[in-house]
Amino acid sequence: MRPGGRTARVREAVLKAAGDTLAAEGFAALDLAEIARRADVGKTTVYRRWGTPGALAADLLTEMAETSLPRVDTGTLDGDLLANARLVVKTLTDPRQGPLLTSLIAASLCDEQAAQALHRFYEVRIAEWSGCVTDAIARGEIPAGTDPHAVIAAVSAPLYYALLNTGRTPDDRDAWAAARGAAEAARAGVWGPESG
């Protein structure tokens, strides 16, 4: 797509309308004709480009992965993992991003395209933050061979659990506990080559 071109403007308008709808009303309200109306885009264009609500949700997840904030480098594993945990909490508690992400997770349970896109979204985000772990290995903070993906996933898992399984909004105390738990487990070699 040409930056600033008509195609890019149409995609931006449709994804914004889709995101607003998902955040406010959930996946069940993601009707392509209504999204076209809200985005002030031709219905035919929306149907031709996306075809299904699942494909639209998938494209929105792709956009979110591409535009997410880069990882933080504080110089320590503990500091990096805390920054990651705080970013997750900030996203989950944001008035728009929290409900949007929850709706996209719900969409992934009933639509294969959305499920694949959600998996890619997490792969991109975990890969972005995996450098925290490889840097910590290089500094000698944690054992060589520690699985970076497992450490980063261990930071966000209890935060998502709090929101999705208990309905409790995670806070900074949860972020601190999740980061500390993941860092201590990494130092103990939980995700090292000898753990299997």
Side-chain angles (χ1 to χ4, degrees), residues 96-115:
R96 182 178 188 271
Q97 291 298 103
L100 172 57
L101 194 53
T102 302
S103 290
L104 288 167
I105 292 168
S108 76
L109 299 175
C110 60
D111 185 277
E112 185 58 31
Q113 286 179 294

Side-chain angles (χ1 to χ4, degrees), residues 177-188:
R180 182 177 179 190
E184 288 181 358
R187 280 191 284 271

Side-chain angles (χ1 to χ4, degrees), residues 126 130 133 146-155 182 191:
I126 288 175
S130 290
V133 180
T146 298
D147 181 351
H149 285 69
V151 176
I152 301 303
V155 173
W191 298 290

